[in-house]
Amino acid sequence: MKAIIPVAGKGVRLRPLTYTQPKPLIPVAGKPIISFIVEQLIELGVDDYVFIIGYLGEKIREYIERTYPELNTTFVTQEDRMGSAHAIWLARDHYADAEELIIFFGDAIIDADLEAFRDSETSCLGVKIVDDPRKFGVVEMDDEGRIRGLIEKPKIPKSNLAMVGCYKIREVSQFIDACAYNLDNNIKSIGEFPLTDALARMLEWGTQFTTLSVDNWFDCGRREILLETNAIFLDREGFATEDPPPFDNSIIIHPVNIGPNCDISNSIVGPYVTLGANTKLEHAIVSDSIIGDYARIHDIVLRNSVVGSDASIGGLRQSLNIGDNTEIDFGG
């Protein structure tokens, strides 16, 4: 079994953060998103990985090779972004001999019974009911619960059962043929070659798929979901910093995850804050936020914020003596 992890996207919905940091490396509760995925797969016994990289891909490669040196990893670059099926097809020489594939998109975190997923006797799709299926690949079922169609981002959905970015493929050679068929015949959806269409081709050719409902799906492509996911995992065992070192004249409101070598003084941190390594806080109040490595935050109140690494944010400190019936607006 081999794992294919496409991580070539630009993460445009998280800009400007993703101008310099690939989305899979953004931290959630002190751990990059991609680490949640890789460590889940390691627990399943997978040690062969193919990463499809593109935008800022060398940062992902450096992180994976440094953090997981024991894994057998291959990196394939997608120069032209033509869709997820195209990205995975580019790496076909590295998995054509595999008995099975597990495909995990590298920008989402899921909670699911992945052992059942791994042990499925058929090819399998991770799914979850969503409010707006128009944004996703959608699974259409017949009255007997069998898959009758797979549609990419339908304008008028006939189902609210979305694919969540994890797939098990048993018919590896047929999967490669399905990707090639759509590419050779220029069969696109939304102007690209999505994985959904390749799977739909396999379904048309007679491949049997089943579904696995995931318990939770955290699609961390938007700031509000990223912060919500950060808070959820900080509430779970093993993610929050339980015994932080003493900081000068500061209050820590748990749960928080504080990276190594942080310098915090005259500040209030928490709840639901992730601080990267070597971050410095002075005269700051920070809650419900994610702060990157080597950031400096001073003289400011931050909430519901995501701040990248090496950023510096400072506010204004005021000393006021205000009389009655006075209105002051510091908003400019």
Side-chain angles (χ1 to χ4, degrees), residues 154-330:
K155 291 183 179 179
I156 304 177
K158 297 179 181 179
S159 165
N160 61 351
L161 194 61
M163 289 183 280
V164 301
C166 63
Y167 315 82
K168 175 185 171 178
I169 306 295
R170 297 195 68 187
E171 300 82 0
V172 177
S173 62
Q174 190 183 67
F175 170 72
I176 295 173
D177 290 344
C179 292
Y181 182 91
N182 288 352
L183 288 162
D184 291 343
N185 292 281
N186 200 34
I187 300 172
K188 297 181 178 181
S189 292
I190 323 296
E192 61 182 26
F193 300 100
L195 178 58
T196 302
D197 287 1
L199 301 176
R201 188 69 53 203
M202 294 176 67
L203 184 67
E204 178 185 300
W205 289 347
T207 300
Q208 182 183 358
F209 288 96
T210 55
T211 61
L212 173 75
S213 294
V214 305
D215 299 321
N216 294 294
W217 174 32
F218 307 102
D219 183 13
C220 299
R222 292 177 291 138
R223 185 188 68 169
E224 57 269 29
I225 301 300
L226 188 66
L227 292 172
E228 178 185 338
T229 306
N230 182 65
I232 288 171
F233 277 91
L234 284 176
D235 269 333
R236 296 186 181 183
E237 184 177 355
F239 287 93
T241 302
E242 295 184 358
D243 189 21
F247 295 108
D248 181 31
N249 195 35
S250 295
I251 298 172
I252 306 298
I253 304 175
H254 296 281
V256 296
N257 183 288
I258 299 176
N261 303 316
C262 286
D263 182 2
I264 302 174
S265 61
N266 302 298
S267 296
I268 301 174
V269 179
Y272 302 116
V273 171
T274 289
L275 293 183
N278 300 286
T279 294
K280 185 172 185 177
L281 269 67
E282 302 173 284
H283 300 283
I285 300 174
V286 182
S287 63
D288 298 285
S289 297
I290 298 172
I291 312 296
D293 298 339
Y294 292 95
R296 186 189 176 208
I297 312 295
H298 64 97
D299 302 294
I300 198 168
V301 176
L302 284 181
R303 64 179 184 275
N304 300 321
S305 300
V306 180
V307 178
S309 297
D310 298 296
S312 179
I313 302 175
L316 295 174
R317 300 179 64 193
Q318 305 288 345
S319 177
L320 303 175
N321 186 13
I322 301 172
D324 295 344
N325 302 308
T326 301
E327 179 178 344
I328 297 177
D329 182 2
F330 287 115

Side-chain angles (χ1 to χ4, degrees), residues 148-159:
R148 69 180 184 188
L150 302 171
I151 312 298
E152 177 68 12
K153 297 179 181 177
K155 291 183 179 179
I156 304 177
K158 297 179 181 179
S159 165

Side-chain angles (χ1 to χ4, degrees), residues 29-47:
K31 180 190 295 188
I33 293 169
I34 199 168
S35 282
F36 286 86
I37 298 163
V38 171
E39 290 172 12
Q40 282 180 312
L41 292 173
I42 290 173
E43 289 183 7
L44 287 183
V46 180
D47 56 13

